[in-house]
């Protein structure tokens, strides 16, 4: 496997609020390998966006990153970057695509200018060379008749076209890492598939690594090499995409797999995970999933589970994996889905 390009160690992020301190991210560690795609999945509020925004120093002003956290990128710890130094990283080495393209586009600049700008700023291209490259990139992300649309403004474009523009802007400075937070959720399935293809092609061409946040398991199976499952501000399971789909070990992952939509409807009814996530103003002791976990053990209410290794690429934080725990089999819904995915989604190897 390739070397890690980014190492996140014991990331903890809290927010000051009128009600108290919200412990949103509670010790998240993962490596991102050069050229790979890591998908982050988890229910709403589990901390996917806060985790990735922290990688870019984009959190809200009431956020605090714990002193013990590290985000190692090259020879830098990004948690220590001063405001001015972010310019060399954000949009240059690590770029982000958000769900809603209008929030990332400047209504006063043409699309062409917005794509060319990072090329001038970070790659030192001349204005003319940048405009030529911008045109090529627009064609690359599948914007038809790009030359005629170089001087258009964002409001003249449809949602799908705008999202392509946002992706072109993110790719413009040839970043080492692209973070995409539900980049296709608002789009129809055909455009979604086209945009995923564009991202995969760009990735292959340049060896860029991606972190991909999505609620869609079909998208996970399509783009991800590895998956991290988040719950209540922690990663509870991580592994190769095949390991997460075919051999999930954490009961929360079972619940999530049974509840998440895929672009295919063939899986039939979705089963919502009963209950609600804990209030992160008062994180519970023990396993935060315990009170929703049909398989919970007494110890789950007392002590946080450590990670147990299932393979050297797969680990889950659940006491069920302790050698003293009773053996349990995943629920039927998961077994059925495994059979379905085996046939339809994940490629071997
Ligand atoms: N500025 C803030 N102030 C207080 N709490 C915040 C702030 N931003 C995020 N949070 C809290 O941090 C937690 C994680 O939020 P986050 O946006 O990362 O969730 P998410 O996994 O991206 O969810 P979704 O799938 O809905 O996008 C939530 O409990 C959220 O309420
Ligand atoms: Mg989010």
């Amino acid at each position: 496997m390739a070397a890690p390009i980014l190492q996140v160690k014991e990331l903890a992020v809290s927010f000051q609020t009128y009600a108290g301190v919200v412990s949103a991210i509670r010790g998240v560690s993962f490596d991102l390998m050069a050229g790979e795609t890591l998908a982050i999945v988890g229910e709403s509020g589990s901390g996917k966006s806060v985790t990735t925004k922290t990688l870019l120093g984009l959190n809200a002003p009431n956020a605090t990153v714990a002193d013990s956290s590290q985000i190692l990128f090259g020879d830098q710890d990004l948690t220590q970057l001063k405001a001015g130094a972010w310019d060399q990283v954000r949009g240059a080495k690590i770029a982000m695509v958000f769900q809603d393209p209008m929030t990332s586009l400047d209504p006063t600049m043409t699309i062409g200018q917005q794509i060319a700008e990072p090329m001038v700023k970070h790659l030192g291209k001349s204005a003319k060379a940048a405009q030529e490259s911008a045109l090529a990139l627009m064609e690359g992300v599948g914007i038809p008749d790009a030359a005629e649309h170089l001087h258009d403004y964002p409001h003249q474009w449809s949602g799908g076209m705008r999202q392509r523009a946002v992706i072109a802007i993110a790719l413009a400075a040839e970043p080492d890492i692209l973070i995409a937070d539900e980049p296709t959720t608002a789009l129809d399935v055909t455009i979604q598939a086209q945009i995923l293809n564009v991202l995969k092609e760009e990735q292959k061409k340049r060896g860029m690594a991606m972190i991909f946040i999505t609620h869609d398991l079909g998208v996970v199976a399509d783009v991800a090499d590895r998956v991290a499952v988040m719950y209540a501000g922690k990663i509870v399971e991580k592994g190769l995409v095949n390991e997460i789909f075919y051999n999930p070990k954490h009961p929360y992952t079972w619940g999530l797999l049974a509840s998440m939509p895929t672009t295919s409807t063939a899986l039939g009814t979705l089963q919502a995970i009963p209950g609600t996530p804990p209030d992160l103003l008062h994180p519970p002791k023990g396993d935060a999933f315990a009170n929703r976990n049909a398989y919970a053990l007494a110890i789950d209410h007392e002590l946080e589970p450590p990670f147990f290794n299932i393979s050297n690429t797969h680990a889950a934080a659940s006491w069920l994996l302790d050698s003293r725990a009773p053996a349990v089999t995943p629920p039927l819904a998961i077994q059925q889905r495994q059979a379905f995915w085996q046939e339809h989604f994940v490629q071997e190897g």
Side-chain angles (χ1 to χ4, degrees):
M1 200 184 264
I5 185 170
L6 185 81
Q7 292 179 287
V8 178
K9 293 181 193 277
E10 287 302 316
L11 183 67
V13 182
S14 56
F15 292 99
Q16 292 289 339
T17 71
Y18 288 114
V21 176
V22 175
S23 304
I25 306 300
R26 306 183 302 133
V28 161
S29 301
F30 63 88
D31 289 350
L32 181 70
M33 305 298 163
E36 79 163 341
T37 299
L38 172 73
I40 303 182
V41 298
E43 279 172 299
S44 187
S46 58
K48 307 178 298 292
S49 295
V50 172
T51 298
T52 48
K53 280 184 187 166
T54 307
L55 304 182
L56 281 175
L58 285 178
N59 268 322
N62 62 333
T64 307
V65 178
D67 287 338
S68 51
S69 305
Q70 291 186 310
I71 302 172
L72 304 179
F73 177 63
D75 54 5
Q76 290 177 307
D77 178 354
L78 299 183
T79 64
Q80 303 298 319
L81 274 199
K82 300 276 177 292
W86 272 111
D87 257 15
Q88 304 300 317
V89 176
R90 194 189 294 140
K93 304 283 185 203
I94 309 178
M96 186 143 181
V97 176
F98 296 94
Q99 178 175 355
D100 175 8
M102 268 328 243
T103 59
S104 357
L105 289 169
D106 182 340
T108 68
M109 282 168 74
T110 67
I111 305 267
Q113 284 168 334
Q114 294 182 61
I115 301 172
E117 192 181 48
M119 299 173 170
V120 174
K121 190 171 157 197
H122 298 299
L123 302 179
K125 291 192 181 181
S126 69
K128 186 164 176 291
Q131 179 158 331
E132 276 164 25
S133 304
L135 190 57
L137 194 49
M138 283 168 77
E139 282 162 0
V141 299
I143 294 166
D145 308 317
E148 287 165 38
H149 293 292
L150 201 56
H151 305 294
D152 288 356
Y153 287 88
H155 72 265
Q156 295 172 272
W157 285 20
S158 69
M161 284 300 138
R162 281 180 201 147
Q163 193 60 312
R164 286 169 202 230
V166 169
I167 289 168
I169 294 168
L171 294 171
E174 302 182 0
D176 299 326
I177 302 173
L178 183 77
I179 300 172
D181 192 347
E182 310 211 26
T184 59
T185 311
L187 306 173
D188 76 51
V189 177
T190 321
I191 294 171
Q192 179 174 313
Q194 287 171 9
I195 288 184
L196 293 180
N197 281 337
V198 166
L199 287 174
K200 284 194 285 188
E201 270 168 36
E202 280 295 320
Q203 179 176 40
K204 219 189 297 170
K205 222 186 305 176
R206 301 197 300 101
M208 172 178 81
M210 288 207 282
I211 299 178
F212 215 97
I213 297 173
T214 177
H215 279 103
D216 189 324
L217 286 178
V219 172
V220 174
D222 188 12
V223 304
D225 300 300
R226 289 191 304 133
V227 181
V229 180
M230 285 194 74
Y231 184 71
K234 291 184 175 239
I235 292 177
V236 297
E237 183 160 3
K238 51 189 165 186
L240 301 176
V241 64
N242 287 5
E243 292 173 323
I244 299 296
F245 275 84
Y246 298 148
N247 192 25
K249 290 294 186 190
H250 197 291
Y252 177 65
T253 310
W254 296 343
L256 200 65
L257 290 174
S259 73
M260 285 170 90
T262 81
T263 33
S264 162
T265 51
L267 289 180
T269 24
L270 301 173
Q271 302 173 0
I273 306 175
T276 49
D279 178 1
L280 294 177
L281 277 167
H282 310 285
K285 72 174 184 179
D287 183 338
F289 188 56
N291 64 347
R292 302 173 73 186
N293 182 2
Y295 307 85
L297 308 170
I299 193 173
D300 282 314
H301 298 281
E302 295 300 325
L303 215 57
E304 269 189 61
F307 269 106
F308 292 89
N309 289 327
I310 295 119
S311 74
N312 54 15
T313 48
H314 185 192
S318 166
W319 284 117
L320 288 176
L321 296 167
D322 190 284
S323 56
R324 291 160 289 187
V328 297
T329 42
L332 189 61
I334 288 303
Q335 296 171 29
Q336 289 166 344
R337 279 169 167 75
Q338 285 167 339
F340 177 85
W341 285 317
Q342 194 102 36
E343 275 173 47
H344 289 85
F345 285 118
V346 184
Q347 290 170 353
E348 295 301 316

